[in-house]
């Protein structure tokens, strides 16, 4: 495993971040394809053995059970100071807004609940999961700064935002001497490269770490289109929402990934991730089987040639925004989003 500094922070993270969205109680969340705690523990343990020290979860994953599974596994298999735990908080609900709960109070409540789920006194990276159009950014930044000052979060990151939002937030944070965002978690892979328009060059200029999610496009970059579909591919309606509309134009890229993998005598996972590793600090790679994490780790040592980069990138055509960025708009701010805390009660930590 190789390691890198996370942007302007002092966090040293593995080049592969284990995404934990696939862990959690399938009866208590958005997804039917998540794996149970026993399977999650095996995957987490194997990741640790292979040198992964960076784990990403969220309170919105399966009503907090992803956080709970991860927390218990890390307590059993690792020392707290040797792992980097990232989790994310959601915007306020309409119920919270009607009750007059501020963005600051909301962050405090959510972080306390996540810490309880994870069984730890702090997280290394606390991530703003998606922009809250109904909360002033000052309110959010002050709440996050309070979490850092209290020692409950070492650093802060942001996800699913536009480059102008990140620039605006960090400029305000610098002005007010608040903690600044050190990383951005965006939707970025070989068949969805819209982050390259503004976010990628902005982050390069400001030394903000890119930790892209959907690194393998929900498995689409890991197998040819005609190969047998996985349980996730069959049942994940949200992934279909993100990728089905562009499937015909994406096919040429996927076939080129397969072609290079065959020539290299490796896997498509290795090729797709090698491309993304060259573009980012630590791609977030979900795993629901041991082979997923093992394949991801192999990609760290694979270097593509300039000709291979050009060959993989050449067929790409611009895509409309999909997923969270397509849904999370000002006019949709009062609608319920796919990512929710489910049946978990959010409140002060006991």
């Amino acid at each position: 495993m190789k390691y890198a500094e996370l942007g302007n922070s002092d966090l040293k993270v593995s080049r592969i971040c284990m995404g934990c969205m696939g862990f959690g109680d399938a009866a208590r969340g958005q997804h039917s394809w998540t794996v149970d705690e026993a399977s999650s523990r095996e995957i987490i343990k194997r990741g640790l053995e292979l040198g992964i020290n960076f784990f990403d979860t969220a309170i919105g994953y399966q009503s907090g059970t992803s956080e709970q599974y991860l927390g218990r596994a890390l307590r059993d298999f690792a020392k707290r100071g040797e792992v980097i735990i990232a989790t994310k908080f959601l915007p306020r609900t309409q119920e919270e807004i009607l009750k007059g709960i501020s963005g600051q109070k909301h962050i405090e409540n959510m972080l306390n609940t996540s810490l309880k789920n994870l069984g730890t006194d702090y997280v290394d990276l606390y991530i703003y999961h998606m922009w809250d159009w109904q909360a002033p950014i000052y309110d959010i930044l002050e709440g996050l700064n309070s979490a850092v000052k209290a020692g409950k979060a070492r650093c802060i990151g942001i996800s699913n935002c536009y480059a102008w939002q990140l620039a605006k937030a960090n400029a305000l944070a610098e002005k007010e001497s608040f903690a600044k965002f050190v990383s951005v978690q965006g939707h970025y892979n070989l068949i969805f490269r819209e982050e390259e328009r503004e976010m990628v060059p902005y982050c390069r200029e400001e030394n903000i770490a890119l930790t892209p999610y959907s690194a393998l496009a929900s498995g689409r970059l890991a197998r040819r289109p005609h190969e047998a579909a996985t349980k996730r591919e069959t049942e994940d309606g949200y992934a279909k929402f993100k990728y089905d509309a562009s499937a015909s134009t994406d096919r040429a890229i996927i076939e080129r990934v397969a072609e290079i993998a065959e020539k290299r005598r490796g896997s498509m996972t290795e090729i797709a991730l090698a491309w993304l590793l060259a573009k980012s600090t630590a791609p977030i790679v979900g795993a629901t089987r041991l082979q997923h994490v093992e394949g991801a780790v192999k990609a760290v040592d694979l270097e593509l040639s300039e000709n291979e980069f050009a060959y993989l990138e050449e067929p790409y055509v611009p895509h409309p925004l999909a997923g969270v960025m397509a849904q999370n708009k000002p006019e949709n701010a009062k609608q319920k989003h796919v990512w929710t805390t489910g049946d978990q009660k959010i409140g002060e930590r006991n």
Side-chain angles (χ1 to χ4, degrees), residues 74-90:
L74 292 180
R75 286 200 303 277
D76 289 344
F77 302 138
K79 295 179 180 178
R80 179 63 186 91
E82 295 178 354
V83 293
I84 304 298
I85 300 176
T87 194
K88 302 182 280 293
F89 70 96
L90 294 159

Side-chain angles (χ1 to χ4, degrees), residues 42-297:
E42 288 184 3
I43 294 166
I44 293 165
K45 184 178 181 181
R46 184 60 177 145
L48 290 164
E49 291 170 349
L50 293 171
I52 293 176
N53 75 342
F54 190 16
F55 298 85
D56 175 84
T57 184
I59 197 169
Y61 297 163
Q62 307 302 105
S63 297
T65 56
S66 171
E67 290 181 324
Q68 292 165 13
Y69 290 6
L70 176 64
R72 288 194 284 263
L74 292 180
R75 286 200 303 277
D76 289 344
F77 302 138
K79 295 179 180 178
R80 179 63 186 91
E82 295 178 354
V83 293
I84 304 298
I85 300 176
T87 194
K88 302 182 280 293
F89 70 96
L90 294 159
R92 294 172 301 163
T93 64
Q94 291 305 305
E95 182 182 11
E96 286 177 294
I97 293 171
L98 291 173
K99 287 181 178 179
I101 296 174
S102 67
Q104 290 187 57
K105 187 62 177 176
H106 169 74
I107 290 170
E108 180 184 359
N109 290 343
M110 280 218 149
L111 180 52
N112 284 339
T113 303
S114 286
L115 292 176
K116 184 176 180 181
N117 285 340
L118 290 161
T120 184
D121 293 326
Y122 70 95
V123 293
D124 300 279
L125 182 65
Y126 198 42
I127 300 170
Y128 189 15
H129 204 154
M130 63 192 70
W131 197 264
D132 185 346
W133 294 99
Q134 300 180 88
I137 186 58
Y138 188 99
D139 197 25
I140 298 297
L141 290 172
E142 190 167 19
L144 288 169
N145 190 62
S146 295
V148 173
K149 288 176 65 177
K152 293 182 178 182
R154 292 175 64 189
C155 300
I156 61 170
I158 192 168
S159 181
N160 297 305
C161 68
Y162 296 99
W164 70 262
Q165 291 172 320
L166 176 54
K168 176 181 178 179
N170 271 357
L172 179 58
E174 184 169 354
K175 177 183 176 183
E176 299 295 332
S177 298
F178 289 160
K180 295 169 69 174
F181 292 119
V182 303
S183 65
V184 59
Q185 187 178 131
H187 181 193
Y188 185 30
N189 56 50
L190 255 173
I191 60 172
F192 193 88
R193 292 169 47 199
E194 300 311 299
E195 291 285 82
E196 293 177 357
R197 294 173 183 270
E198 295 188 4
M199 186 64 79
V200 170
Y202 173 72
C203 288
R204 186 183 301 119
E205 177 73 16
E206 297 295 321
N207 193 34
I208 296 170
L210 292 167
T211 61
Y213 68 82
S214 202
L216 294 171
S218 300
R220 285 158 178 78
L221 285 164
R223 71 186 68 82
R224 290 179 181 269
H226 64 269
E227 292 180 6
T230 63
K231 178 179 174 67
R232 176 177 181 178
E233 191 171 349
T234 301
E235 299 181 7
D236 192 342
Y238 200 61
K240 292 177 183 291
F241 167 64
K242 288 192 293 185
Y243 294 113
D244 278 8
S246 59
S248 59
T249 55
D250 296 339
R251 189 181 183 103
I253 299 170
I254 295 170
E255 292 291 353
R256 291 190 181 196
V257 172
E259 181 183 338
I260 293 176
E262 187 174 349
K263 289 180 180 178
R264 288 283 196 125
R265 297 186 179 181
S267 68
M268 291 177 64
T269 291
E270 292 169 53
I271 301 303
L273 287 181
W275 179 87
L276 193 54
L277 280 158
K279 309 282 185 174
S280 63
T281 302
I284 298 170
V285 184
T288 53
R289 297 178 185 176
L290 290 176
Q291 67 191 55
H292 293 162
V293 67
E294 292 167 348
V297 170

